[in-house]
Amino acid sequence: MGKRDELIEKYAEDLKSKCGMTPDMDLLTKVTIGCGPSIYDADASTVAATDKAELETVKNNFLIKKLGLSDSPALMDAIDSVIETYGHSERNKYRAVIYYMLTKHFGKESVYA
């Protein structure tokens, strides 16, 4: 099993144990691949949920550019909702897990088809 596969397993476990979701492994794999090399970097692989600038980056680079959504307050509400689901006390909020949950939230799985 390669490093990426190990990370995907870790993300799937987070979705199950911390978020109460049964992950769609195919979609999770595609979202993880879409994150590129950032998944291998300790800092870039996580989202700092308390950093407003970081959340703006998630909104602009992922929700607007990648998923093709229009900017609106609903985008930040969705990010807040996903972080709430993940758990504010959870120190490591993996980018791939957050992106996966946002993709599901907006029903944008087709972006990864």
Side-chain angles (χ1 to χ4, degrees), residues 1-14:
M1 184 185 300
K3 179 76 172 149
R4 185 174 68 203
D5 293 331
E6 290 172 21
L7 289 169
I8 291 168
E9 285 301 315
K10 186 192 312 185
Y11 302 154
E13 185 53 41
D14 264 23

Side-chain angles (χ1 to χ4, degrees), residues 34-89:
C35 288
S38 70
I39 62 170
Y40 304 110
D41 180 272
D43 185 47
S45 68
T46 58
V47 172
T50 55
D51 182 349
K52 293 287 182 225
E54 172 86 358
L55 299 181
E56 280 293 321
T57 300
V58 170
K59 182 181 87 170
N60 292 325
N61 291 354
F62 183 70
L63 295 178
I64 295 172
K65 288 182 185 168
K66 177 70 179 176
L67 298 186
L69 299 168
S70 299
D71 194 3
S72 76
L75 300 186
M76 204 48 87
D77 290 345
I79 292 170
D80 291 340
S81 169
V82 161
I83 288 168
E84 186 70 39
T85 300
Y86 212 143
H88 286 286
S89 62

Side-chain angles (χ1 to χ4, degrees), residues 89-102:
S89 62
E90 188 53 47
R91 191 165 179 275
N92 289 323
K93 293 177 185 64
Y94 293 106
R95 185 171 305 279
V97 173
I98 288 179
Y99 286 8
Y100 171 88
M101 289 195 287
L102 287 167

